[in-house]
Amino acid sequence: MTTVHDLYARISDDFTALLVGCPPDRWEEPSPCPGWTAWDVAAHVIGNHRRALAGLDGSDYESPSRGEDLLAAWHSASDEVKAALLDPSRAETMLGDDFGNMPFAAFVNRMACADTLIHTWDFARATRQNERLDAEAVQLATEMLTSEDSDIRLPNAYGPKVAAANSADDQTRLLNFLGRNP
């Protein structure tokens, strides 16, 4: 059984590789998220990480702003999440109502298995990089999200399902379920 830390590390490392590999002229390319560029997707993922970390101690956070070094911001946020997951007291810190009243590690598991994972694909698609996602993370995200089908169809969240072809692989089925059409 993969630990939350190990799963998160793999997903965050995949996102890191895409940020590092992003050609300078592709940051403003449109993403599969309506109205968002590749830069917007990366800033959103970083902002969610900062928000989760702020939930540990009730501090304030800010989403990245234009001109901020997104790669440095990502390294900082993902390294802090990894460190918190390895600290038992921080990993089990209960996050409040904004996070569903769950321990930090459980929230990261959900965030990594859904938001970060799916936006890894969005960023890869926007920047024309390798779109292959971690197979175990795809399986876990599918299990988690399919049980919440009606709850995730909110405005500015996941879009309407796209019918998956019979021959679609697990990743494509998950992306179709979340309204993406690879």
Side-chain angles (χ1 to χ4, degrees), residues 9-23 27 71 74-75 78 82 120 123-124 127 129-130 132:
R10 288 197 322 263
I11 293 168
S12 69
D13 290 349
D14 289 346
F15 195 69
T16 300
L18 293 172
L19 294 179
V20 168
C22 182
W27 284 95
L71 186 55
W74 170 248
H75 281 301
S78 63
K82 289 174 188 174
T120 296
F123 189 84
T127 59
Q129 296 185 74
N130 182 356
R132 182 57 40 200

Side-chain angles (χ1 to χ4, degrees), residues 1-10 86 109 136:
M1 183 79 179
T2 301
T3 67
V4 173
H5 177 272
D6 292 343
L7 177 66
Y8 174 77
R10 288 197 322 263
L86 291 175
N109 191 47
E136 182 182 12

Side-chain angles (χ1 to χ4, degrees), residues 105-125:
F107 181 77
V108 171
N109 191 47
R110 296 179 66 77
M111 179 177 63
C113 282
D115 192 70
T116 304
L117 179 71
I118 301 311
H119 287 314
T120 296
W121 182 84
D122 293 331
F123 189 84
R125 172 60 57 106

Side-chain angles (χ1 to χ4, degrees), residues 133-153:
L133 299 174
D134 182 275
E136 182 182 12
V138 166
Q139 179 185 11
L140 293 171
T142 299
E143 291 169 10
M144 178 182 58
L145 293 170
T146 53
S147 68
E148 299 175 359
D149 187 4
S150 60
D151 295 334
I152 64 173
R153 307 291 167 195

